[in-house]
Amino acid sequence: MSSRLEIRWHGRGGQGAKTAALLLADAAFRTGQYVQGFPEYGPERMGAPITAYNRISREPIRVHSNIYTPDLVMVVDETLLHAVDVTAGLKLDGAVIINTPKTKEEILPLLGGCKTAVYTVDAGKISQETLGKNIPNSPMLAAAVAVTGVMERDLFFKEMRSLFEHKFAKKPEVVEGNLKALAMAWDHMEKARRREMKKSA
């Protein structure tokens, strides 16, 4: 990954991809980093494909365009793999993380010969278990941070707890549910990264 991390999010309206990008920007900003988090505006209707972006850097960010050569691609809805070239421009040393119950081997044929690191996480299942509904953005957010290392785990969880407590001030069960979702996704990604490192060793 480069010194300035650039992330492109692909999702559908209502799944929280834009919210995840904004939460990541907020959390990184609280750790003293320079950030951008923004959606690509279009016909924003429920279920329509949407794109959002993050830039995170230790140095001031002077570019304000969309991201065309991301370090990381986050796919919040696997059905987009049939409709969108999600890996377009992805750097060779980058990675893609896909919300799916399928394995990496099952997903690879849908990625058009992608040569970068590919990870899968069943963010829908995690959110069902922790929040009682399919809201995959919190698990996907944790997956992004775990893979990129843009924040240490303890610091990330501290800032996310603060953000969730502000957002859900009257719903402590939602705060705890989201934190459990983050932890489950983080642990899953750590195991996946270790497996990939063993394979490439």
Side-chain angles (χ1 to χ4, degrees):
M1 300 287 178
S2 61
S3 57
R4 182 174 71 197
L5 176 65
E6 296 189 322
I7 303 174
R8 188 172 67 216
W9 297 78
H10 294 278
R12 294 188 183 277
Q15 293 178 324
K18 179 178 79 171
T19 299
L22 297 177
L23 280 170
L24 178 55
D26 282 345
F29 177 76
R30 286 163 168 251
T31 68
Q33 301 187 74
Y34 294 90
V35 302
Q36 291 178 356
F38 58 97
E40 180 177 0
Y41 287 102
E44 298 224 352
R45 59 188 186 278
M46 189 70 71
I50 67 105
T51 310
Y53 306 94
N54 283 115
R55 287 188 178 95
I56 302 172
S57 175
R58 293 290 178 186
E59 304 294 332
I61 302 170
R62 306 195 190 285
V63 61
H64 297 279
S65 65
N66 289 348
I67 292 171
Y68 303 104
T69 56
D71 300 288
L72 176 66
V73 169
M74 302 296 296
V75 183
V76 183
D77 188 318
E78 70 170 295
T79 66
L80 291 170
L81 300 179
H82 301 282
V84 178
D85 183 6
V86 297
T87 61
L90 179 60
K91 292 174 183 171
L92 288 176
D93 62 347
V96 56
I97 303 175
I98 301 159
N99 169 27
T100 176
K102 298 184 177 75
T103 65
K104 170 186 173 178
E105 289 70 28
E106 291 174 304
I107 284 293
L108 276 174
L110 301 176
L111 294 177
C114 177
K115 302 297 184 185
T116 69
V118 176
Y119 300 96
T120 64
V121 57
D122 196 346
K125 181 181 179 182
I126 290 172
S127 63
Q128 284 282 3
E129 290 180 7
T130 57
L131 293 161
K133 57 182 71 175
N134 189 351
I135 307 175
N137 58 344
S138 281
M140 292 297 284
L141 176 55
V145 178
V147 165
T148 60
V150 71
M151 280 175 275
E152 294 293 331
R153 178 179 175 133
D154 289 349
L155 184 56
F156 172 63
F157 276 75
K158 174 189 171 187
E159 298 305 340
M160 290 308 301
R161 175 177 284 279
S162 177
L163 288 167
F164 286 144
E165 286 177 344
H166 176 74
K167 186 174 183 179
F168 304 111
K170 297 182 179 179
K171 297 180 179 180
E173 71 282 1
V174 176
V175 174
E176 294 306 318
N178 272 292
L179 290 169
K180 286 179 183 176
L182 294 178
M184 289 176 67
W186 187 291
D187 291 343
H188 172 85
M189 295 310 302
E190 291 241 303
K191 291 175 184 176
R193 286 189 72 198
R194 284 197 292 269
R195 285 195 300 268
E196 287 298 310
M197 289 171 69
K198 283 182 181 179
K199 287 180 184 178
S200 60

